[in-house]
Amino acid sequence: MERIKVAINGYGVIGKRVADAVKLQDDMELMGVCDVVTDWRIKMAVRKGYPVYGFDLSFSARMKEASIPVIGNLDEMLHAADIVIDCTPKKIAAQNIPKYRLMGKKFIVHGGEKHETTGHSFGAENNYETAIGRESTRVVSCNTTSIVRTLTALKNAGLLVKARGTLLRRATDPWESHLSGIMNTLVPEKDIPSHQGPDAQTIDPSLDVITVAIKVPETLSHLHYWNVQLTRQASKEEVLRAFGNSTRIALINYSDGLPANNTLKELMLEMGRPYGDMYEVAVWKDMLKVQGDELFYAYIVDNQAIVIPETIDAIRALTGIETEAEKSILKTNESLGIKQSFY
Amino acid sequence: MERIKVAINGYGVIGKRVADAVKLQDDMELMGVCDVVTDWRIKMAVRKGYPVYGFDLSFSARMKEASIPVIGNLDEMLHAADIVIDCTPKKIAAQNIPKYRLMGKKFIVHGGEKHETTGHSFGAENNYETAIGRESTRVVSCNTTSIVRTLTALKNAGLLVKARGTLLRRATDPWESHLSGIMNTLVPEKDIPSHQGPDAQTIDPSLDVITVAIKVPETLSHLHYWNVQLTRQASKEEVLRAFGNSTRIALINYSDGLPANNTLKELMLEMGRPYGDMYEVAVWKDMLKVQGDELFYAYIVDNQAIVIPETIDAIRALTGIETEAEKSILKTNESLGIKQSFY
């Protein structure tokens, strides 16, 4: 079997995780990673044996000066690849797209870009099929991924009328919390609804979902609270079964020593997950409450990790190497150790 | 006019604020404050000229050793008073009640105690009348006070069907944040619904209100997000007018440089409020959104301050010195500088 040749443009929080995940896939080959930095971040890619490219001649020269064994520039990396995963910062990807198109390469952008940049937004359990053979897609943001994943599970069980969510967003990524962030305050998003609700509708326009969001002074993960109008009175067991339909939702118990974001992070680290990453949406089972035809629940989203499996599936969909969503999802889950129960 | 003789048992975060507020009322006399500590906290009461009492002989002795001019014990303070405001820590007040009853004194407890301890829970704008002449009442917690205040405004405008709230609770009080608190994590309350919804129903059983709550790593104030089912489609202006019916709800604008809890705290300090206290519920006007028959809004609650005006009104109600809620509320508002608009 021919392996898909994958290039990664941008070796930051997402890029390095996508690179590691690509390396774990037996149907993919990592052709290289491209960046603009010259410090420890890209040196770790060298140490891992990943082919390193500079964004252009100027950046490549600087990287060489810093003793980084640069193989070439972005153009050369793209030349060698079937598909490029753009993991550059928000809004930068849109500027790279003309180059990808010119070189006839398939590409994936992430949630920082607008839906219109690709015309397709991806959710592995939602619309894998419509991405097959496309030139490009957008893997939606961490929060949106979690929303679509959980609400689709409820929708597929015939339980969903509408959903209203409150998102507590971590202040900044841990590795750059020395640069910016908030301390001892809370920062609501200016607009109600916040953008995540409409963003979920780019994957499934039928979802009646409205979100509000607040930045909170912590860096570990997001926390979501949801209030869902069900189609009818339902039992807690029915709801849990519905969530069980997604292989990427894990149920946890508050009473199992998991009463807060930090405890779940420690569990991931103890499980040996790279960076302590959690690819699953972790829903508190014992906290979840059904009252009449209303459902209330809370879950944690690891904003650095949740989009990684989706990105791997998106690679298979765009390149058509796997035409069945279920098979790709299963393969990705196995490679990353994704579970519905952690212990 | 005979002035009401008020004693305060417990000179902590709430007690010292109640003492200051009582001093500002021309129909009340502060008979004394009682505590068990011997450090700067009670020495500040001495400096303010408040009569200081020790909880019992043993505590009085210790305070005298620390050169605190103790006037006597709790019993003696109670003897001189018409009413005692119990501001001792959660669950302690319940133990003091038999003494208050034995001495035939009216008393007020705070939100840390159960509704059953007094059989009456107080909201100045809700049930002032039913408290008139009673032996005792309970001034509900900061969060519950804010909930009852805002939802009553919507209910009185004929707009409220049901309300679902997400409460971001500050980790701890600022003055004791060296003792405990949380850092870089989020701690959901174990149970959904959280206790604040049922607590609001102790004041108005007709409220269909469900809350969830999360402890967040900041100490300034609480932040609430609400999703309200309205009786009908309504305009944003109608909702704002409804909130205007409470004299203790202030409207603020995100776009006026108030995008977060810390900015509002700074405004209160600049206004010269004692401790930077905010007695009002501060609702973001520009963030507030009406979509069809659903209302979404967010507000800030100063958990150290919001119950102070309610406590002053409760004193007037129990003692019957003022039998009209509106007059007491107006008097309290004027004395504390409570406003519907800050700038």
Side-chain angles (χ1 to χ4, degrees):
Chain A
M1 186 181 70
E2 190 73 26
R3 295 202 294 172
I4 296 297
K5 295 183 171 62
V6 182
I8 294 168
N9 190 12
Y11 193 71
V13 164
I14 299 297
K16 66 186 182 183
R17 286 173 167 82
V18 173
D20 293 348
V22 165
K23 286 295 277 188
L24 294 172
Q25 311 307 314
D26 63 13
D27 54 354
M28 297 179 196
E29 191 178 351
L30 181 65
M31 303 311 292
V33 301
C34 176
D35 211 295
V36 296
V37 301
T38 56
D39 62 16
W40 65 272
R41 291 170 287 172
I42 199 71
K43 286 176 181 167
M44 289 305 291
V46 174
R47 176 170 281 221
K48 283 182 177 177
Y50 299 165
V52 170
Y53 293 81
F55 184 72
D56 59 17
L57 277 175
S58 151
F59 283 112
S60 291
R62 278 192 232 172
M63 287 161 96
K64 275 176 195 155
E65 271 170 45
S67 305
I68 294 157
V70 181
I71 292 173
N73 306 332
L74 174 60
D75 288 12
E76 292 156 279
M77 180 178 78
L78 292 175
H79 192 70
D82 301 315
I83 185 167
V84 56
I85 320 305
D86 195 303
C87 303
T88 58
K90 210 170 168 173
K91 314 278 182 220
I92 303 291
Q95 300 169 29
N96 294 328
I97 289 176
K99 183 188 286 274
Y100 304 152
R101 290 216 166 105
L102 199 66
M103 295 184 68
K105 300 296 172 182
K106 291 179 185 286
F107 59 92
I108 293 171
V109 299
H110 282 95
E113 309 306 311
K114 286 190 197 304
H115 172 75
E116 293 69 33
T117 54
T118 65
H120 188 274
S121 293
F122 185 83
E125 295 172 326
N126 293 80
N127 60 4
Y128 186 99
E129 288 74 12
T130 63
I132 293 172
R134 281 185 62 92
E135 173 204 52
S136 62
T137 189
R138 179 181 74 118
V139 170
V140 294
S141 76
C142 48
N143 282 313
T144 305
T145 298
S146 75
I147 293 169
V148 171
R149 201 181 277 176
T150 48
L151 296 186
T152 300
L154 295 172
K155 180 186 166 185
N156 290 346
L159 289 170
L160 180 68
V161 175
K162 66 179 184 180
R164 304 294 180 250
T166 306
L167 283 50
L168 281 67
R169 294 175 48 218
R170 72 194 230 169
T172 185
D173 282 336
W175 93 265
E176 55 189 0
S177 60
H178 62 298
L179 296 175
S180 66
I182 57 170
M183 192 174 149
N184 202 34
T185 192
L186 301 169
V187 187
E189 272 194 28
K190 188 172 183 177
D191 294 314
I192 297 177
S194 58
H195 70 278
Q196 296 87 356
D199 200 34
Q201 292 165 335
T202 64
I203 290 183
D204 184 350
S206 80
L207 293 176
D208 183 349
V209 51
I210 292 179
T211 50
V212 295
I214 315 101
K215 216 186 262 188
V216 296
E218 57 90 20
T219 62
L220 296 177
S221 44
H222 300 312
L223 176 62
H224 286 209
Y225 269 81
W226 287 88
N227 175 15
V228 172
Q229 174 71 48
L230 301 173
T231 49
R232 56 179 170 80
Q233 298 212 352
S235 68
K236 179 167 176 168
E237 287 63 38
E238 280 180 281
V239 171
L240 294 175
R241 262 201 308 278
F243 281 144
N245 289 333
S246 165
T247 60
R248 291 176 179 168
I249 296 175
L251 298 176
I252 57 173
N253 276 311
Y254 195 101
S255 61
D256 273 342
L258 295 173
N261 298 45
N262 60 311
T263 58
L264 197 56
K265 183 71 179 178
E266 190 69 13
L267 173 60
M268 291 303 117
L269 286 163
E270 184 143 345
M271 284 168 67
R273 290 278 181 93
Y275 307 103
D277 279 357
M278 184 173 72
Y279 308 109
E280 302 85 350
V281 176
V283 177
W284 274 287
K285 182 178 165 182
D286 50 359
M287 208 193 292
L288 181 147
K289 176 95 176 181
V290 183
Q291 190 159 314
D293 59 359
E294 273 185 281
L295 165 65
F296 299 85
Y297 58 92
Y299 61 70
I300 287 177
V301 181
D302 181 337
N303 79 323
Q304 300 182 129
I306 188 176
V307 300
I308 306 304
E310 306 293 316
T311 303
I312 296 298
D313 292 327
I315 294 171
R316 290 208 188 87
L318 290 190
T319 58
I321 195 171
E322 174 56 68
T323 53
E324 283 179 53
E326 215 170 307
K327 283 189 186 164
S328 174
I329 290 170
L330 190 65
K331 198 173 172 67
T332 305
N333 288 358
E334 277 176 6
S335 69
L336 297 176
I338 292 174
K339 299 174 191 309
Q340 291 179 292
S341 177
F342 294 132
Y343 49 89
Chain B
M1 184 181 70
E2 188 73 25
R3 295 202 295 171
I4 296 298
K5 296 182 171 63
V6 182
I8 293 168
N9 190 11
Y11 193 72
V13 164
I14 298 299
K16 66 185 180 183
R17 287 172 167 83
V18 173
D20 293 349
V22 165
K23 286 294 279 188
L24 294 172
Q25 311 307 315
D26 64 14
D27 53 355
M28 297 179 196
E29 189 178 353
L30 180 65
M31 301 312 291
V33 301
C34 176
D35 210 295
V36 296
V37 300
T38 56
D39 62 16
W40 66 270
R41 291 170 288 174
I42 198 71
K43 286 176 181 167
M44 290 304 292
V46 174
R47 176 170 281 221
K48 283 182 178 177
Y50 298 166
V52 169
Y53 293 80
F55 184 73
D56 59 18
L57 277 175
S58 151
F59 283 112
S60 290
R62 279 192 232 170
M63 288 161 94
K64 274 176 197 157
E65 272 170 45
S67 306
I68 294 157
V70 182
I71 291 173
N73 306 332
L74 175 60
D75 288 12
E76 292 157 280
M77 180 179 78
L78 293 175
H79 191 73
D82 301 315
I83 184 167
V84 55
I85 320 304
D86 195 303
C87 303
T88 57
K90 207 170 169 173
K91 313 279 182 220
I92 304 290
Q95 300 167 29
N96 294 328
I97 290 177
K99 183 187 286 274
Y100 304 152
R101 290 215 165 107
L102 198 66
M103 294 184 68
K105 299 297 170 183
K106 291 180 185 284
F107 59 92
I108 293 171
V109 299
H110 281 94
E113 309 306 310
K114 287 189 195 305
H115 173 74
E116 292 69 34
T117 54
T118 65
H120 188 274
S121 293
F122 186 83
E125 295 172 326
N126 293 80
N127 59 3
Y128 186 100
E129 287 75 12
T130 60
I132 292 171
R134 281 185 61 93
E135 172 204 52
S136 63
T137 189
R138 178 181 74 119
V139 170
V140 294
S141 76
C142 48
N143 282 313
T144 305
T145 298
S146 75
I147 293 169
V148 171
R149 202 181 277 178
T150 48
L151 296 186
T152 300
L154 295 173
K155 179 186 166 183
N156 289 346
L159 288 171
L160 179 68
V161 175
K162 65 179 183 180
R164 303 295 179 249
T166 307
L167 284 51
L168 281 66
R169 294 174 48 219
R170 73 195 229 171
T172 186
D173 282 336
W175 93 266
E176 54 189 0
S177 60
H178 62 298
L179 296 175
S180 66
I182 58 170
M183 192 174 150
N184 201 35
T185 192
L186 302 169
V187 187
E189 273 195 26
K190 188 172 183 178
D191 294 314
I192 296 177
S194 59
H195 69 278
Q196 295 87 358
D199 200 34
Q201 292 165 336
T202 63
I203 291 182
D204 183 350
S206 81
L207 293 176
D208 183 350
V209 51
I210 293 179
T211 50
V212 295
I214 314 101
K215 216 187 262 187
V216 296
E218 58 89 21
T219 62
L220 295 177
S221 44
H222 300 311
L223 176 63
H224 287 209
Y225 269 82
W226 287 88
N227 174 16
V228 172
Q229 174 71 49
L230 301 173
T231 49
R232 57 179 171 80
Q233 297 211 354
S235 69
K236 179 168 176 168
E237 288 62 39
E238 280 179 280
V239 171
L240 294 174
R241 261 202 309 278
F243 282 144
N245 288 332
S246 165
T247 60
R248 292 176 180 168
I249 295 175
L251 297 176
I252 57 172
N253 277 311
Y254 194 102
S255 62
D256 272 342
L258 295 173
N261 299 45
N262 60 310
T263 58
L264 197 57
K265 182 71 181 178
E266 190 68 15
L267 174 60
M268 291 303 117
L269 287 162
E270 184 142 349
M271 283 168 67
R273 291 277 180 96
Y275 307 103
D277 279 356
M278 183 173 73
Y279 308 109
E280 301 86 351
V281 176
V283 177
W284 274 288
K285 182 178 166 183
D286 49 359
M287 208 193 293
L288 182 146
K289 176 95 175 179
V290 183
Q291 190 159 314
D293 59 0
E294 274 185 280
L295 164 64
F296 299 85
Y297 58 91
Y299 62 70
I300 287 178
V301 181
D302 182 337
N303 79 322
Q304 298 182 133
I306 188 176
V307 300
I308 306 304
E310 305 294 316
T311 304
I312 296 299
D313 292 327
I315 294 171
R316 290 207 187 88
L318 290 190
T319 57
I321 196 172
E322 174 55 68
T323 53
E324 284 180 51
E326 216 171 307
K327 283 190 186 163
S328 174
I329 290 170
L330 190 65
K331 197 172 173 67
T332 305
N333 288 358
E334 277 176 6
S335 69
L336 297 176
I338 291 175
K339 297 175 191 311
Q340 291 178 292
S341 177
F342 295 132
Y343 48 92

